[in-house]
Amino acid sequence: MQRSALLDAARALLSEGGTEALTFPALAQRTGLARSSVYEYFRSRGAVVEELCAVDFPVWAAEVEMAMAAAESPEAKIEAYVRQQLALVGDGRHRAVVAISAGELDAGAREKIRAAHGGLVAMVVEALRALGHEQPRLAAMLLQGVVDAAVRRIELGAAESPEEITEAAVKLALGGVCD
């Protein structure tokens, strides 16, 4: 129960103020716990983020997978893959996962996050294979690069609206993988 409250507080802090906002005193204040109690659950900010990734990423990936499953053609699956990820950018779970720099995470945590992203990329490989792509795994990784670049634009509050960024990413993805 306390762990869940701490994770909820961490999500909120990261969404509201980014990395700087995620402090143990702020977590304690948000949850009504003593600061020393926060340390009983997590040893560092990196450990908080690692747990957020472990809890939130599978849910996030399942949402992408469901959107792809509802699409009927390989092109529609690719479009769903891009659109669903970008739709989730404003979600507090996603903001928490990207808000803290990978430099604050230990090698094991970074590897877990990389593996989770690898599972996300694997979702689109079959759609690319169905389109006859010669190297579907490579194309999937490059497609995820387009998505990641769009995520960064949205997260940075670029001049373009999130909708414009999403449309550009979908157009690039479909034009680049469906030729």
Side-chain angles (χ1 to χ4, degrees):
M1 178 93 161
Q2 298 292 4
R3 189 179 222 58
S4 179
L6 286 165
L7 292 175
D8 288 343
R11 280 183 204 95
L13 289 166
L14 287 167
S15 291
E16 294 164 10
T19 307
E20 297 79 30
L22 180 61
T23 65
F24 280 30
L27 283 171
Q29 182 180 20
R30 286 274 175 124
T31 58
L33 296 172
R35 189 164 80 176
S36 59
S37 296
V38 176
Y39 283 100
E40 291 176 25
Y41 293 94
F42 301 104
R43 67 187 184 294
S44 66
R45 292 187 322 162
V48 174
V49 173
E50 182 178 352
E51 181 134 349
L52 283 172
C53 290
V55 170
D56 292 346
F57 195 86
V59 174
W60 195 62
E63 291 179 30
V64 173
E65 190 171 28
M66 284 190 306
M68 290 180 68
E72 295 187 19
S73 69
E75 293 90 349
K77 289 183 183 304
I78 291 166
E79 182 173 350
Y81 178 83
V82 173
R83 284 190 187 282
Q84 188 63 33
Q85 286 189 71
L86 297 179
L88 290 169
V89 170
D91 184 306
R93 293 169 297 165
H94 180 266
R95 296 284 314 260
V97 169
V98 298
I100 199 166
S101 74
E104 290 191 43
L105 302 176
D106 64 30
R110 284 193 306 272
E111 185 53 40
K112 286 178 188 173
I113 292 168
R114 268 194 294 277
H117 274 96
L120 192 60
V121 168
M123 289 181 197
V124 78
V125 170
E126 189 52 43
L128 291 162
R129 185 174 288 119
L131 289 171
H133 203 285
E134 292 179 19
Q135 294 182 308
R137 177 83 178 143
L138 174 59
M141 288 186 284
L142 295 173
L143 175 60
Q144 186 60 44
V146 169
V147 173
D148 292 344
V151 166
R152 283 191 298 280
R153 296 262 334 143
I154 293 169
E155 287 283 337
L156 291 172
E160 307 87 5
S161 71
E163 294 79 17
E164 290 172 309
I165 294 168
T166 298
E167 292 309 315
V170 167
K171 187 175 181 179
L172 181 61
L174 293 175
V177 299
C178 296
D179 288 340

